[in-house]
Amino acid sequence: MICNGKGVFLTWEDLSVSVSSSRDGPKQILKGLTGYACSGDVLAVMGPSGCGKSTLLDALAGRLSSTWIQNGDILLNGHKQQLAYGTSAYVTQEDTLTWTLTVKEAVHYSAQLQLPNSMSKAAKAERVETTIREMGLQDSVDTRIGGWGRKGLSNGQKRRLSICLEILTRPKLLFLDEPTSGLDSAASYYVMSRIAKVSKQEGMTVVASIHQPSCDVFGLFRNLCLLSSGRTIYFGNCSAATEFFATNGFPCPSLQNPADHYLKTINSDFDEDIEQGNGAKATAEEAIDVLVESYRSSSNICKLIEQQLANIHTRGTGAIVEKKKKKGGQASFFFQCLALTERSFINMSRDMGYYWLRLAIYIALAFGLGTVFFDIGTSYGSIQARGSVLMFIASFLTILAIGGFPSFVEDMKVFERERLNGHYGSLAFVVGNTLSSMPYLFAISLIPGGITYYLIGLHGGNKRFIHFAMTLFACMMLVESLMMIVASLVPNFLMGVISGAGIQGLMMLSGGFFRLPKDLPNVFWRYPMYYISFHKYAFQGLYKNEFEGMRFGDKKETGIDSYVEGDKILRETFDVEMGYSKWVDLGILFGMIVLYKFLFFGFVKGNEQIKPFIKGLLKFLSFRNTN
């Protein structure tokens, strides 16, 4: 078989991959694999579960993290080089999609993020329509993707949409991890036939891991890479695989799917004997050893690779693959931020749990606070009541932002997929996420905040209400930023909620209400917790906003005409720092928002190094607990 010499010719020689293990040392996943993939063809990577299919795809796509040890050569047109933006795309086994969007919206925003500014709106729209038709989704363009109990696209349609989002840029390389997983035979054939058609039309090199293809699906592949326990059982033309198995004593029975026969023969997970052509039986381990040895002794794959490379260089396409990013192959940072902000805002507004339900709860709590503390007055008894209600607003009301954590986790999953495929960078995501949430948080500050403020009868005046609403807005922003940081580190829902609530609990405890600042223990609670807790600045700013300029007392209570000034209450009752104004406290809160966003950006940027560390730590702790 000779490649056509167009597009990308991908080769890997003596590729080995190991992963570090805290228990038994490095564990080898791939063991000296060699193979190639041609443009216009679909290479099927098959094997039983745990054989290394996904690891091979990750290694070829350059997606292995720093905890993996990789040896061997991976070449594009005979050259070692990084996979630049637009060169490759990767479709994971899990369909990670923004479920509130329609098919057309999902593809539209993906086009806005990936396609260059030099393309006109009409050209982008045409690319979107063409790609949707290529994947057979033209009848579902206005259907929402669906999720979280809302019915939407079928599994097959979601698979095609995931592929659709990655082929918008017409990548030269397409990696598919289990594209038929969870699909019936008809849907599997439809998905793979579309991929094979696009591959031929665009000259695209496709490498797909397939678990158990039907006869029809298997017939779409030209080349086959068969793995077992990280070793190559067979690599070559699909039509020649049956002869290879038969020659080594494992013929495929008549009327049986060849793919099923291959997988049954090389699956060592079960203690089932394999029937040989001469009537004898062999264990799966024996069959694997026979096939591996036969392949090694008879394979001329290295010579085939050399022939393919020579053919490609002869045709003049063996040059290093151009980096589209340097030639304006991607949208600018400004347009990426704009597209991400708009997409995220639509997602939030359609997510009943994130947007509308939380807003309803905030309004209900606002009426609850307003009725419990209704018309609080200026008696001596109202002093502690005012302090309590301001503490509740700045801490317990804002902690409800934890309710948005499931949506934050889903946002992070979508971001991880798009970032790894080079759709946009971490900074654009942070900017878009921040801008899209601001209108919602501002609405919470004004509507429930206004209900609470005026029902209770807090200190009147427009400037004071503005300070109150801005402080509430800043606290909401800080809590959401904190939970986004947690979501970027701990994608597990239960662990994330517990971690976020625990961090905020520590901050509230050291904020200066439950224990006055002067009475806090110096070690840890005052230095540093009191000064790094945003509740300190929220409490003190709200106290100054409320008590400055007020007098408290009631002749009916004491029998004498005596009052206490608000400034004295601030100093002696609440131990408030009076050396600076409430606007300084507000400014510090907004400064902390910027700091939290930079921390979020830093964690997102360094996710590849941080997540393996956290996973390793959790594995180590679980190992200690089991011993």
Side-chain angles (χ1 to χ4, degrees):
M1 184 198 73
I2 300 296
C3 288
N4 59 19
K6 298 178 181 178
V8 168
F9 179 50
L10 175 67
T11 64
W12 55 100
E13 299 181 42
D14 198 24
L15 179 63
S16 298
V17 174
S18 302
V19 62
S20 300
S21 173
S22 59
R23 296 187 181 183
D24 306 317
K27 179 181 178 182
Q28 195 167 15
I29 307 298
L30 300 181
K31 305 171 183 178
L33 306 187
T34 299
Y36 61 87
C38 295
S39 61
D41 293 333
V42 181
L43 169 65
V45 181
M46 288 176 51
S49 298
C51 69
K53 300 188 297 293
S54 296
T55 304
L56 175 59
L57 261 66
D58 288 342
L60 296 178
R63 293 165 68 103
L64 293 178
S65 66
S66 57
T67 58
W68 295 77
I69 304 168
Q70 179 178 318
N71 295 304
D73 294 328
I74 299 174
L75 309 175
L76 296 179
N77 289 349
H79 300 279
K80 277 189 177 183
Q81 58 180 301
Q82 295 290 329
L83 290 173
Y85 170 76
T87 301
S88 70
Y90 194 113
V91 180
T92 59
Q93 184 175 349
E94 181 182 0
D95 294 315
T96 308
L97 303 165
T98 306
W99 66 274
T100 57
L101 301 179
T102 65
V103 169
K104 189 170 184 178
E105 287 171 341
V107 183
H108 165 76
Y109 286 115
S110 188
Q112 299 305 310
L113 291 168
Q114 297 186 74
L115 299 179
N117 298 336
S118 56
M119 285 186 69
S120 64
K121 289 184 178 180
K124 290 182 180 180
E126 183 180 355
R127 177 71 65 86
V128 168
E129 296 294 334
T130 301
T131 309
I132 289 175
R133 286 196 303 271
E134 287 173 343
M135 287 292 108
L137 292 168
Q138 62 272 14
D139 295 331
S140 307
V141 289
D142 296 321
T143 303
R144 290 193 187 179
I145 296 168
W148 289 48
R150 180 187 178 93
K151 185 174 176 58
L153 301 178
S154 66
N155 289 337
Q157 289 172 322
K158 288 180 180 178
R159 285 269 77 188
R160 282 181 276 152
L161 177 58
S162 294
I163 298 167
C164 190
L165 299 178
E166 300 304 331
I167 64 174
L168 274 167
T169 58
R170 299 300 188 257
K172 299 178 184 296
L173 268 170
L174 178 63
F175 298 97
L176 304 171
D177 190 8
E178 302 281 6
T180 61
S181 178
L183 306 182
D184 57 40
S185 58
S188 298
Y189 174 76
Y190 193 72
V191 169
M192 292 309 302
S193 63
R194 290 283 179 172
I195 293 169
K197 182 179 178 181
V198 173
S199 173
K200 289 181 180 179
Q201 289 176 344
E202 300 292 336
M204 191 183 300
T205 303
V206 180
V207 182
S209 64
I210 303 290
H211 182 62
Q212 193 171 11
S214 63
C215 286
D216 292 335
V217 171
F218 190 68
L220 297 171
F221 305 132
R222 186 172 183 181
N223 284 333
L224 171 65
C225 177
L226 200 58
L227 303 178
S228 181
S229 301
R231 296 182 292 175
T232 302
I233 300 294
Y234 172 81
F235 188 99
N237 198 285
C238 289
S239 59
T242 303
E243 181 182 352
F244 172 78
F245 273 74
T247 302
N248 288 282
F250 303 98
C252 179
S254 58
L255 303 180
Q256 184 174 346
N257 181 0
D260 291 339
H261 173 67
Y262 304 153
L263 294 175
K264 178 182 177 182
T265 303
I266 63 174
N267 193 331
S268 60
D269 294 338
F270 304 96
D271 297 329
E272 296 289 337
D273 291 335
I274 309 299
E275 293 187 4
Q276 296 180 275
N278 55 10
K281 290 187 177 181
T283 65
E285 290 289 351
E286 292 172 341
I288 292 170
D289 290 338
V290 168
L291 293 169
V292 169
E293 186 58 34
S294 175
Y295 172 76
R296 285 178 178 173
S297 61
S298 63
S299 174
N300 293 316
I301 189 168
C302 292
K303 292 183 179 179
L304 281 173
I305 291 176
E306 291 177 2
Q307 291 175 4
Q308 304 288 16
L309 287 173
N311 176 60
I312 286 176
H313 284 295
T314 300
R315 292 171 181 252
T317 56
I320 294 177
V321 180
E322 294 177 355
K323 294 187 177 182
K324 291 186 178 182
K325 195 169 185 180
K326 290 185 177 180
K327 294 193 173 185
Q330 195 173 20
S332 67
F333 175 77
F334 174 79
F335 283 101
Q336 285 183 343
C337 291
L338 192 64
L340 287 170
T341 302
E342 186 177 344
R343 187 181 72 174
S344 181
F345 183 79
I346 292 174
N347 177 40
M348 290 178 184
S349 63
R350 291 178 181 172
D351 189 341
M352 294 297 295
Y354 178 86
Y355 201 103
W356 301 108
L357 181 59
R358 288 174 64 200
L359 182 59
I361 291 173
Y362 276 117
I363 292 174
L365 280 172
F367 277 109
L369 278 172
T371 52
V372 169
F373 294 92
F374 179 72
D375 196 14
I376 200 168
T378 58
S379 65
Y380 287 123
S382 72
I383 296 173
Q384 188 60 41
R386 288 173 187 269
S388 298
V389 74
L390 292 175
M391 181 278 300
F392 188 94
I393 291 169
S395 54
F396 291 107
L397 195 64
T398 57
I399 202 174
L400 291 176
I402 290 178
F405 189 75
S407 298
F408 302 158
V409 171
E410 293 302 312
D411 288 345
M412 289 304 303
K413 288 180 179 178
V414 173
F415 163 71
E416 279 296 310
R417 172 183 64 80
E418 295 177 331
R419 180 186 67 84
L420 287 172
N421 281 325
H423 293 191
Y424 51 86
S426 301
L427 183 58
F429 170 71
V430 173
V431 171
N433 177 269
T434 302
L435 294 178
S436 62
S437 64
M438 287 176 67
Y440 165 68
L441 298 179
F442 192 67
I444 288 181
S445 304
L446 286 180
I447 301 172
I451 293 171
T452 303
Y453 196 89
Y454 290 106
L455 276 180
I456 294 174
L458 297 177
H459 200 166
N462 292 334
K463 286 185 178 180
R464 295 184 185 275
F465 175 71
I466 290 173
H467 182 276
F468 172 85
M470 293 302 293
T471 300
L472 181 57
F473 172 76
C475 290
M476 295 294 298
M477 284 283 291
L478 283 166
V479 174
E480 292 226 346
S481 300
L482 174 62
M483 294 309 297
M484 286 300 294
I485 292 173
V486 174
S488 68
L489 296 174
V490 187
N492 178 275
F493 171 70
L494 182 59
M495 290 182 63
V497 169
I498 293 172
S499 301
I503 293 170
Q504 293 186 68
L506 289 174
M507 289 186 175
M508 282 190 287
L509 192 58
S510 59
F513 176 82
F514 299 100
R515 187 76 166 161
L516 291 178
K518 62 184 178 183
D519 297 326
L520 284 172
N522 286 337
V523 178
F524 182 72
W525 293 109
R526 187 172 178 86
Y527 305 103
M529 285 301 299
Y530 174 65
Y531 289 98
I532 65 175
S533 169
F534 70 85
H535 295 85
K536 164 192 179 324
Y537 308 100
F539 291 162
Q540 298 213 0
L542 289 175
Y543 290 161
K544 293 174 186 176
N545 187 60
E546 182 63 21
F547 287 96
E548 284 180 339
M550 289 192 72
R551 292 196 309 171
F552 294 88
D554 192 339
K555 189 175 182 179
K556 294 179 180 179
E557 287 184 296
T558 61
I560 59 175
D561 191 10
S562 64
Y563 298 92
V564 59
E565 298 293 334
D567 289 8
K568 184 177 180 181
I569 294 170
L570 290 173
R571 288 191 301 269
E572 298 180 2
T573 304
F574 294 113
D575 193 22
V576 172
E577 299 173 16
M578 301 296 290
Y580 53 90
S581 74
K582 62 186 179 182
W583 298 106
V584 174
D585 288 299
L586 183 60
I588 292 173
L589 287 176
F590 277 96
M592 293 182 76
I593 292 174
V594 176
L595 175 62
Y596 275 36
K597 292 301 178 181
F598 271 111
L599 287 174
F600 178 41
F601 170 71
F603 284 122
V604 167
K605 190 74 174 175
N607 226 2
E608 291 185 5
Q609 288 73 36
I610 297 170
K611 276 191 174 179
F613 171 77
I614 292 176
K615 289 180 179 179
L617 180 61
L618 293 175
K619 286 182 180 179
F620 174 74
L621 293 175
S622 64
F623 172 72
R624 290 289 299 272
N625 291 334
T626 56
N627 288 275

